[in-house]
Amino acid sequence: MNIGEIARRAGVSRSTVSYALSGKRVVSEETRQRIQAVIDELDYRPNAAARALKEGRTRTLGLVIPPASLRLTDMQLGFVASVVEAAARVDLDVLLSPSGGDHDRSFERIVSGRRVDGVILMEIRLEDERVTRLQQTGLPFVTIGHTAHPQGTCWVDVDYATLIARCVHHLADLGHRHIALINRSAELVAAGYGPAQRALTGFTEAVAQRGLTGVDMCCADDAPGGESCLEQLREQHPEVTAIATINEAALPGIQRALERAGVAVPRDMSIAGVAARHWAEDFRPPLTAADVPTEMGNHAVDLLLERIATPDAPPRHLLLTPPISLRSTTGPAPTR
Amino acid sequence: MNIGEIARRAGVSRSTVSYALSGKRVVSEETRQRIQAVIDELDYRPNAAARALKEGRTRTLGLVIPPASLRLTDMQLGFVASVVEAAARVDLDVLLSPSGGDHDRSFERIVSGRRVDGVILMEIRLEDERVTRLQQTGLPFVTIGHTAHPQGTCWVDVDYATLIARCVHHLADLGHRHIALINRSAELVAAGYGPAQRALTGFTEAVAQRGLTGVDMCCADDAPGGESCLEQLREQHPEVTAIATINEAALPGIQRALERAGVAVPRDMSIAGVAARHWAEDFRPPLTAADVPTEMGNHAVDLLLERIATPDAPPRHLLLTPPISLRSTTGPAPTR
DNA sequence: TCGGTTCGCGGAATCGGTTCGACAGAAGAT
DNA sequence: ATCTTCTGTCGAACCGATTCCGCGAACCGA
């Protein structure tokens, strides 16, 4: 069931079948229909490898995700889903590469075996050698998140610094004077993980600007982590009345610890976060948060397609600053 | 940077380079080292498409996931992660196809464009046309979950009927007489989604066997769904003192509704579920549940590799029945 | 009727690997 | 000295598409 078979049965040459399929040259309507009939009958579809070899492109995008051992957050998951969906809409397939390590075989296969036409990189660090590796090879790529030197690359990101600053301002407007930042895990912060670093910067600046006292804490990215982090916070800083956080995964634990301690939200404690929209909505009470649009994956695909089409165009960036959706977890600071 | 370039620089023929790389014929140690030196210098890696074309295999596995619009549960996510990880361990890549629809372009590309050597199918229904389509094409495949007629296919699944039955027995042993099954969404049940159907069967039989009264409810697969489902349950069946569920995603909502109503777990209400292990552990209080091993993805990959190697061997199945881990959400029935 | 244009199609090269058959030269057997 | 057996390498075919070049027939205006 290759193109030769179709050609023989339709009584034409292989090239004619190819042209009938691609439309790159005129084929008489009669011939075209005859060919199509044979194709339908045999359910023929061109061999992807042969086409990729000849055309020099694979019609496949690579998506580099964190290794399976690290559990993905809802937000990251949303990115994956929207990347896959956006790619499917333009008839592209997505090849997954779980790679966090330095010199990953899977990553190398993808980038230097010409298995994909372009790569989307997730969870990048401020200094990320995968980015430099991709720059070497010349393979088009887009990152979700950006490095410390983002000028030369194409990326889409959420402006964590500004978003966390907005959370702080919102809380300050409500009269809160003592605010805590609950950041991502200590390991990530130490590894130079961009969002964690930038959230801290934004927090520190905003707190200083409003003359508040701020305390920042790292917190393991899961429910138990949030729970113990909050216990520690209430013990060491009982004066805190509001929390800003980018740690989605820790929120259920935070919430639970507050409940156990009899601290009502938002009466006794306000929470403003940065999270996936559906996640914030599903949260009880609904979370006041800057809704990170999961469509970021779509944007990443768009940018990547552009870059593949015109590799020499200056790299474009997209820094999103979604507004804070006021829901039910923030309120006026308690009067002592 | 193709094999010809390497051959020229090393002063040998292309075939010799190929043999040096594959080891399928002896190449003198001296020549081999010379070739390797050139390869290292140029950072050469064979073109995947060319190799796939000639060899007739792509070294790629297809993973068909639910479309992006449907949010994946933690358990499904765990499968994806473990499939990707298992594939990476044996140097295989994973191609994602988001396809739930009947005649999906992405699915068709994968199965009939010979883009993959085998396919893993998730979220299959009792009658699933994707399965019949794959059987037509002869492409090796393994399903996570099984259809109503599973004899001829290769699959790995969790024995939901038995697990839910065990939950019922466990709860009955604790003295509960009125037990509710909180199932997956009504749409899934209507669509003939296997786990939902089998959970219902197992529940009904176990309840009858123990002479209990059981009530089964469908419930949207998210927190708000769980919340409203529980409210409805308490209104219509206030006598229920225990819940068995396979609806992971609804649990936070269930939990929240119970709290709001002042119903303590497990004092006033026991809950036994089927969920991913880490999920059950993170839940507060830790959930008594049959821990679905996320390693099911690994097993699926193993089965698939076997099937690819020996397509004519009789299809193998794997029906897992993990034991119930007793944690903190079940206790003796309340004395009235 | 003739030269030129258009239309529809076939032939053959090409992409970059793998693999089979052949072959030269060295080594061993008789 | 001749015949056989290895060893190590090369050349060429092949996988299944795409695409450039060119050819014959039809068509058209003069």
Side-chain angles (χ1 to χ4, degrees), chain B residues 56-194:
Chain B
R57 65 194 184 115
T58 57
R59 299 165 188 270
T60 304
L61 265 30
L63 178 58
V64 178
I65 59 174
S69 50
L70 277 62
R71 262 165 63 208
L72 277 76
T73 66
D74 248 51
M75 209 162 79
Q76 294 166 355
L77 189 57
F79 295 157
V80 174
S82 72
V83 164
V84 171
E85 190 198 23
R89 267 206 298 273
V90 289
D91 286 330
L92 292 174
D93 288 316
V94 172
L95 204 58
L96 238 44
S97 169
S99 94
D102 308 340
H103 207 72
D104 201 288
R105 289 208 306 281
S106 154
F107 183 72
E108 280 302 318
R109 265 204 311 279
I110 301 234
V111 303
S112 61
R114 272 150 300 182
R115 292 184 67 85
V116 299
D117 298 334
V119 173
I120 294 175
L121 223 52
M122 282 177 58
E123 293 298 285
I124 65 163
R125 294 184 288 275
L126 286 178
E127 306 291 336
D128 204 301
E129 51 198 356
R130 295 171 302 174
V131 171
T132 51
R133 179 79 183 96
L134 279 166
Q135 284 174 319
Q136 278 174 17
T137 65
L139 192 65
F141 70 95
V142 169
T143 57
I144 297 184
H146 58 291
T147 64
H149 324 283
Q151 286 72 26
T153 62
C154 239
W155 50 265
V156 36
D157 201 357
V158 165
D159 187 352
Y160 282 95
T162 300
L163 291 186
I164 280 295
R166 279 195 194 160
C167 287
V168 170
H169 288 302
H170 168 58
L171 293 167
D173 290 345
L174 287 167
H176 296 272
R177 311 298 304 159
H178 304 276
I179 301 182
L181 168 70
I182 297 189
N183 209 328
R184 299 288 295 273
S185 71
E187 296 80 45
L188 280 176
V189 173
Y193 180 62

Side-chain angles (χ1 to χ4, degrees), chain B residues 225-239:
Chain B
E227 214 165 337
S228 65
C229 175
L230 200 95
E231 279 161 11
Q232 195 185 333
L233 173 67
R234 296 214 354 116
E235 192 174 313
Q236 298 175 359
H237 304 277
E239 75 281 10

Side-chain angles (χ1 to χ4, degrees), chain A residues 20-35:
Chain A
L21 239 32
S22 69
K24 295 195 178 171
R25 264 194 353 199
V26 240
V27 171
S28 73
E29 184 55 22
E30 185 206 326
T31 312
R32 207 194 56 72
Q33 285 185 4
R34 190 151 33 94
I35 292 172

Side-chain angles (χ1 to χ4, degrees), chain A residues 45 60 112 115 256 284, chain B residues 45 60 112 115 256 284:
Chain A
R45 232 162 301 255
T60 304
S112 60
R115 291 184 69 86
R256 186 146 280 280
R284 289 295 115 126
Chain B
R45 233 163 300 255
T60 304
S112 61
R115 292 184 67 85
R256 186 145 280 281
R284 292 293 112 130

Side-chain angles (χ1 to χ4, degrees), chain A residues 3 14-15 18-19 25 44 47:
Chain A
I3 201 174
R14 303 191 308 149
S15 54
S18 178
Y19 286 121
R25 264 194 353 199
Y44 163 79
N47 179 303

Side-chain angles (χ1 to χ4, degrees), chain A:
Chain A
M1 48 295 250
N2 56 18
I3 201 174
E5 179 76 11
I6 306 295
R8 196 146 27 77
R9 299 218 192 191
V12 295
S13 76
R14 303 191 308 149
S15 54
T16 301
V17 175
S18 178
Y19 286 121
L21 239 32
S22 69
K24 295 195 178 171
R25 264 194 353 199
V26 240
V27 171
S28 73
E29 184 55 22
E30 185 206 326
T31 312
R32 207 194 56 72
Q33 285 185 4
R34 190 151 33 94
I35 292 172
Q36 191 59 51
V38 178
I39 287 177
D40 289 343
E41 185 197 336
L42 299 194
D43 194 28
Y44 163 79
R45 232 162 301 255
N47 179 303
R51 171 178 286 183
L53 174 58
K54 176 60 186 170
E55 287 191 333
R57 63 195 187 113
T58 56
R59 298 162 189 267
T60 304
L61 265 31
L63 177 58
V64 178
I65 59 173
S69 50
L70 276 62
R71 261 165 61 207
L72 278 74
T73 67
D74 248 52
M75 209 163 78
Q76 294 167 354
L77 188 57
F79 296 156
V80 174
S82 72
V83 163
V84 171
E85 191 198 21
R89 268 206 299 272
V90 289
D91 286 332
L92 291 174
D93 289 316
V94 173
L95 203 57
L96 238 45
S97 168
S99 96
D102 309 337
H103 205 71
D104 202 288
R105 286 208 308 279
S106 154
F107 182 72
E108 281 301 319
R109 265 204 310 278
I110 301 234
V111 304
S112 60
R114 273 151 300 183
R115 291 184 69 86
V116 297
D117 298 333
V119 173
I120 294 176
L121 223 51
M122 282 179 56
E123 293 297 285
I124 66 162
R125 294 182 288 275
L126 287 177
E127 306 290 337
D128 204 303
E129 51 199 357
R130 293 171 303 176
V131 171
T132 52
R133 179 80 184 95
L134 279 166
Q135 284 174 318
Q136 279 175 17
T137 65
L139 192 66
F141 70 97
V142 170
T143 57
I144 297 184
H146 58 290
T147 65
H149 325 283
Q151 286 73 27
T153 61
C154 240
W155 49 265
V156 37
D157 201 357
V158 165
D159 188 352
Y160 282 95
T162 301
L163 290 184
I164 280 294
R166 279 195 191 157
C167 287
V168 170
H169 288 301
H170 168 59
L171 294 167
D173 291 346
L174 287 167
H176 295 272
R177 311 299 301 161
H178 303 277
I179 302 181
L181 168 70
I182 297 189
N183 208 329
R184 300 285 296 274
S185 71
E187 295 81 45
L188 281 175
V189 174
Y193 180 63
Q197 300 274 346
R198 297 189 184 100
L200 182 54
T201 315
F203 179 74
T204 311
E205 284 176 8
V207 159
Q209 193 179 337
R210 298 293 292 249
L212 312 173
T213 68
V215 33
D216 67 273
M217 310 188 67
C218 293
C219 174
D221 300 350
D222 51 23
E227 214 164 339
S228 65
C229 176
L230 199 95
E231 279 162 11
Q232 196 185 333
L233 173 66
R234 296 211 357 113
E235 192 174 313
Q236 299 174 1
H237 305 275
E239 74 282 9
V240 165
T241 61
I243 293 171
T245 185
I246 61 167
N247 196 328
E248 216 179 67
L251 268 168
I254 293 175
Q255 170 75 344
R256 186 146 280 280
L258 287 171
E259 263 164 32
R260 266 221 319 267
V263 179
V265 175
R267 198 194 60 199
D268 307 320
M269 180 74 81
S270 287
I271 307 177
V274 177
R277 181 178 305 127
H278 61 75
W279 207 92
E281 284 169 350
D282 282 6
F283 199 70
R284 289 295 115 126
L287 186 74
T288 291
D291 295 340
V292 176
T294 45
E295 306 84 41
M296 264 173 60
N298 297 19
H299 292 133
V301 171
D302 291 346
L303 246 50
L304 183 53
L305 292 181
E306 264 185 54
R307 191 129 191 85
I308 291 172
T310 57
D312 296 327
R316 285 181 51 196
H317 315 150
L318 218 55
L319 190 58
L320 304 175
T321 319
I324 292 185
S325 297
L326 298 180
R327 298 200 181 86
S328 314
T329 54
T330 53
T335 52
R336 64 192 62 196

Side-chain angles (χ1 to χ4, degrees), chain B residues 6-64:
Chain B
I6 306 295
R8 196 146 28 77
R9 300 218 191 192
V12 296
S13 74
R14 303 193 306 149
S15 52
T16 303
V17 175
S18 179
Y19 286 123
L21 240 31
S22 69
K24 294 194 178 173
R25 264 197 203 177
V26 241
V27 171
S28 74
E29 184 55 23
E30 187 205 328
T31 312
R32 206 194 57 72
Q33 286 187 4
R34 191 151 32 93
I35 292 172
Q36 192 58 50
V38 178
I39 287 176
D40 289 343
E41 187 195 335
L42 300 195
D43 195 26
Y44 163 80
R45 233 163 300 255
N47 181 302
R51 172 178 287 180
L53 174 58
K54 177 59 185 175
E55 287 191 335
R57 65 194 184 115
T58 57
R59 299 165 188 270
T60 304
L61 265 30
L63 178 58
V64 178

